[in-house]
Amino acid sequence: MAKQLLKAEVESLGGLQLKCSARGFEFMIDEPENVGGTNEAMNPLEALLCSLGACKMMVVRFFYQAKKIKLNSMRVEIIGEIDSDRLKGKPDVKIGFSKIITNYYIDADNTDEEIKDLVAFIEKTCPVKDTIVNAPEMELHINP
């Protein structure tokens, strides 16, 4: 088994603004003003939804030709359902998303069955989805 390590770093820029970095690329994370942020970037949960949607799109981009999909255009909409009462201190409420919905919008010169097969393939092979559904072992270290 060939294991690969991916590394990301997150640094505080003050307030609720964060700089996220990986492989020399950067993006910002923030929170809306109503929770104390400056609303200059998406929040971490929105970034997670974007990562899931981007991964599903990458699977398509890598495999649609091999699957003989005559793709004209495609987009995915990812919706996360979360109960904000947990952030207000209610202990019996799930902290993270309770449901994630993917809406596929696919324009392709293929049959409905071929498009359903493509979506099934995406759902089966998306690494981000697999990471969410089959949680990895989590390990932490506190460094000086």
Side-chain angles (χ1 to χ4, degrees), residues 76-125:
V76 292
E77 174 185 67
I78 312 290
I79 301 168
E81 183 178 286
I82 191 165
D83 190 335
S84 60
D85 281 349
R86 178 61 175 102
L87 299 174
K88 297 173 187 166
K90 294 190 176 180
D92 296 334
V93 177
K94 185 175 180 350
I95 295 171
F97 289 121
S98 57
K99 182 190 295 186
I100 297 176
I101 302 160
T102 302
N103 292 314
Y104 284 94
Y105 300 90
I106 301 172
D107 177 14
D109 298 327
N110 292 83
T111 66
D112 289 345
E113 191 63 34
E114 289 169 325
I115 291 172
K116 285 180 187 175
D117 288 347
L118 174 66
V119 169
F121 177 79
I122 296 165
E123 293 295 312
K124 183 175 74 173
T125 58

